[in-house]
Amino acid sequence: MHTILGAGGPTANALTQELIAHNQTLRLVSRKPVATNNPNVSWQKADLLNEQEVLAATAGSTIIYLCAGLVYDAQIWQQQWPVIIQNVISACKQTGARLIFFDNVYMYGLVKGPMTENTPYHPCSLKGEVRAKIAQQLMDESQAGRINATIARAADFYGTNSMNSFFDMMILDKFAKNTSGQWIGNPNTLHSFTYIPDAGKALFLLGQTPDSGNQIWHLPTAAPLKGKAFIEMAAQIYGTKARYSVINKLMLRLVGLFKKVVAGTVEMYYQYDHDYHFDSTKFEKAFNFKPTSYHDGILALSKSLYQKQN
């Protein structure tokens, strides 16, 4: 039994598709219903902040995937992530299930050079401090032999219709509509983006490989490109001009006065005005996995959009 906590989000959906494609039995867990018409897939309501609901939702699980996302607010993260992690740890101890936690890179802080699984934690944001704390808690439990935990990290992602990614929302969606795009930070710096379908496949592979447990993995991600290169590539694929404006930190602060989710990006601005190089060599070599190129990923998205419109 594969159980996905935080079902319904982009990564959880990609993982769900992989599990269904491989005829796995899975349980989707979330506060809001997730539609399913597959006999191998069930849905169960649970609030991850409620320990008893989490224990009930994970009963009988062999693998638990934690793919939850919280409101993009540091205070909420400080309050809720420690509770969620502790509840999930309790569920793993009760069921004996392996845990695969879908994580980000905020705990690393500003890194000069590639981010790898061995990069030390030096968070320079409140959200990064939260992520560092819960990641260390999981690895401490794992190293003590109390649970079997895997941390699977991804870079900023793209390739979803939910518009949760700034690249999807501010470049690809804009160019698809033949309008001007927007880029956060310095377009002359490098950036890495994880293709969501690749993340789903990688999480599935980790779940199928017991030896991958009790360690950290960077999910397969193509080598970084400069922001301008992303913009020009997307414009060419969508058949439009590479028109865009740049959003700086002051602009984010001003918009953040009216939109809290934008205010939450201000402390993460360092990721957009410095090189952001996410390295997934470890995973690529271990699983002989070649990440989808940015060209192929963007092209697939453009074709998917065209099919929906026609």
Side-chain angles (χ1 to χ4, degrees):
M1 169 65 74
H2 299 260
T3 299
I4 301 178
L5 302 178
T11 307
N13 288 343
L15 172 59
T16 298
Q17 292 174 6
E18 285 297 314
L19 290 167
I20 290 174
H22 290 85
N23 297 313
Q24 301 293 312
T25 301
L26 64 147
R27 180 185 299 142
L28 306 178
V29 179
S30 60
R31 287 183 297 178
K32 297 180 180 179
V34 178
T36 175
N37 56 3
N38 189 299
N40 290 332
V41 183
S42 61
W43 171 76
Q44 185 162 337
K45 181 178 181 180
D47 182 348
L48 299 186
L49 295 169
N50 185 309
E51 182 180 18
Q52 293 307 312
E53 291 186 11
V54 173
L55 293 177
T58 55
S61 301
T62 51
I63 302 178
I64 297 171
Y65 305 87
L66 179 56
C67 299
L70 299 183
V71 175
Y72 206 64
D73 180 277
Q75 189 173 17
I76 291 176
W77 282 33
Q78 290 170 327
Q79 294 169 350
Q80 296 187 3
W81 266 121
V83 177
I84 292 172
I85 289 298
Q86 188 56 56
N87 290 344
V88 173
I89 288 173
S90 296
C92 291
K93 290 178 179 179
Q94 176 173 287
T95 61
R98 284 182 59 203
L99 171 64
I100 299 178
F101 173 42
F102 180 69
D103 199 7
N104 61 29
V105 299
Y106 292 3
M107 71 295 301
Y108 296 142
L110 178 59
V111 179
K112 292 183 178 180
M115 290 176 273
T116 72
E117 291 84 350
N118 295 319
T119 297
Y121 297 169
H122 290 301
C124 54
S125 66
L126 293 175
K127 288 189 283 292
E129 290 175 2
V130 173
R131 287 289 187 168
K133 182 178 179 180
I134 62 176
Q136 192 59 56
Q137 183 179 0
L138 285 179
M139 286 295 97
D140 286 347
E141 291 281 348
S142 173
Q143 290 168 8
R146 291 187 287 267
I147 63 173
N148 184 325
T150 299
I151 295 179
R153 293 199 173 116
D156 285 344
F157 59 78
Y158 79 105
T160 170
N161 293 325
S162 68
M163 296 295 124
N164 285 351
S165 155
F166 99 83
F167 188 42
D168 287 339
M169 178 173 59
M170 302 173 73
I171 295 294
L172 301 185
D173 186 55
K174 299 290 187 183
F175 284 179
K177 297 173 181 175
N178 198 29
T179 58
S180 180
Q182 293 177 304
W183 190 265
I184 299 176
N186 185 354
N188 289 309
T189 57
L190 295 171
H191 209 88
S192 298
F193 291 97
T194 302
Y195 187 47
I196 282 290
D198 282 355
K201 292 175 182 177
L203 289 171
F204 171 78
L205 288 172
L206 289 173
Q208 297 297 305
T209 311
D211 289 346
S212 69
N214 297 315
Q215 56 187 301
I216 297 168
W217 295 89
H218 279 188
L219 301 185
T221 301
L225 297 176
K226 287 187 176 181
K228 281 187 176 181
F230 281 112
I231 293 166
E232 292 168 358
M233 182 186 298
Q236 181 182 29
I237 291 172
Y238 279 92
T240 189
K241 294 183 179 179
R243 296 171 294 163
Y244 69 98
S245 57
V246 173
I247 300 175
N248 60 32
K249 195 171 186 178
L250 176 60
M251 293 176 184
L252 286 178
R253 288 188 185 277
L254 292 174
V255 176
L257 295 175
F258 307 97
K259 294 184 178 181
K260 201 165 186 178
V261 67
V262 176
T265 67
V266 174
E267 69 167 349
M268 309 310 302
Y269 187 77
Y270 70 90
Q271 294 186 315
Y272 307 107
D273 67 345
H274 294 81
D275 285 344
Y276 175 117
H277 182 177
F278 182 85
D279 186 293
S280 60
T281 301
K282 175 184 173 181
F283 188 99
E284 294 172 44
K285 289 184 175 179
F287 291 91
N288 191 27
F289 192 112
K290 184 178 180 181
T292 301
S293 70
Y294 295 117
H295 181 277
D296 290 350
I298 296 170
L299 183 62
L301 288 170
S302 69
K303 291 180 177 178
S304 173
L305 178 65
Y306 177 80
Q307 291 172 351
K308 288 181 180 179
Q309 291 177 339
N310 294 272

